[in-house]
Amino acid sequence: MMEHSLVEQVSVQEKVVAFTFDDGPHPVYTHQVLEIFRRAGGHATFFMIGKEMEAYPDIAAEVHREGHEIANHTYTHPNLTELTLEEAEKELQQAERLIQEVTGSAARSFRPPYFGVNEDILALAAEQGYHSIGTVNGGARDWDNPGVEHILEHSRSVVKSGSVLIFHDGYGDRSQTVEAVRVLVEELTMQGYRLVTVSELMRLAK
């Protein structure tokens, strides 16, 4: 039995949900996502790739400045289970260094690319001080561009208080994702949900 696991859902007392965005920052889509959350008065968590942070440091800085959380999604986006533990640790540490340069503090959350984990990787992440984060709406598959309605249907059907939702703001055309997120953010805020970072969600766990 695995001692560590990916956090997908947290037991909470209030109506909160954590939107997360992988693979950025991106010069087009990250800005669009920021605008959605600016209007909604909520915050999200951005699992950034180190190499993309190097390419777009100003966008990473803007994400942080607006109160969102920047979390670790490795430096080059490999499947960590295909690396040695030393290589995996280096991936985390290179990304961590960049995050600290932008935020001035350590990242608290990590999401493995492709959800590629085993007990060794989960233990490594825990040793580095991270919560390893999964999602409840993997069926939305926004990374495949399955259509706005598909993304919405497979997110609406699983979301509840304490859920972690995954979307992508980097790598390829993310216009479907942005439109789905726009609709979902509007719906959930109308239903009384507060949009929080993963770290805030973890603090609210009862």
Side-chain angles (χ1 to χ4, degrees):
M1 190 169 134
M2 294 178 79
E3 181 186 345
H4 305 285
S5 59
L6 294 174
V7 177
E8 304 175 350
Q9 178 77 35
V10 176
S11 180
V12 290
Q13 301 276 13
E14 55 183 296
K15 278 184 107 169
V16 290
V17 65
F19 279 74
T20 68
F21 296 89
D22 287 13
D23 296 357
H26 187 280
V28 174
Y29 303 112
T30 303
H31 285 304
Q32 293 177 356
V33 169
L34 288 176
E35 178 60 26
I36 291 169
F37 281 81
R38 207 175 290 131
R39 291 183 177 189
H43 292 103
T45 300
F46 291 78
F47 286 89
M48 293 187 179
I49 297 171
K51 275 192 166 293
E52 299 305 310
M53 293 182 73
E54 286 179 333
Y56 305 108
D58 292 350
I59 302 173
E62 182 181 358
V63 169
H64 173 65
R65 196 164 54 244
E66 296 203 10
H68 303 284
E69 180 174 4
I70 298 179
N72 197 323
H73 198 45
T74 73
Y75 181 67
T76 65
H77 202 269
N79 185 328
L80 294 176
T81 63
E82 297 173 359
L83 306 182
T84 67
L85 267 184
E86 291 74 21
E87 290 168 338
E89 185 173 11
K90 188 177 179 185
E91 280 282 339
L92 291 177
Q93 289 177 344
Q94 284 183 286
E96 175 67 35
R97 177 177 55 79
L98 291 162
I99 292 169
Q100 291 194 23
E101 284 176 8
V102 170
T103 68
S105 58
R108 294 185 293 278
S109 298
F110 151 73
R111 176 175 281 141
Y114 316 108
F115 296 112
V117 288
N118 52 31
E119 177 57 28
D120 286 342
I121 298 299
L122 289 169
L124 172 66
E127 285 165 16
Q128 305 288 316
Y130 301 125
H131 295 293
S132 292
I133 305 300
T135 185
V136 298
N137 71 326
R141 296 196 337 272
D142 79 300
W143 56 86
D144 279 341
N145 288 324
V148 173
E149 283 308 315
H150 178 99
I151 298 169
L152 283 170
E153 178 188 339
H154 287 81
S155 299
R156 287 174 179 138
S157 63
V158 293
V159 68
K160 60 182 181 179
S161 292
S163 292
V164 178
L165 299 173
I166 187 173
F167 302 99
H168 290 71
D169 63 329
Y171 277 141
D173 180 355
R174 295 298 170 214
S175 52
Q176 288 183 11
T177 294
V178 171
E179 184 52 35
V181 166
R182 193 188 317 278
V183 172
L184 199 59
V185 161
E186 193 171 300
E187 289 177 354
L188 291 175
T189 51
M190 288 284 286
Q191 292 168 29
Y193 280 93
R194 195 159 59 87
L195 312 178
V196 300
T197 65
V198 165
S199 286
E200 185 174 354
L201 186 68
M202 299 301 285
R203 285 196 298 273
L204 291 169
K206 63 183 183 186

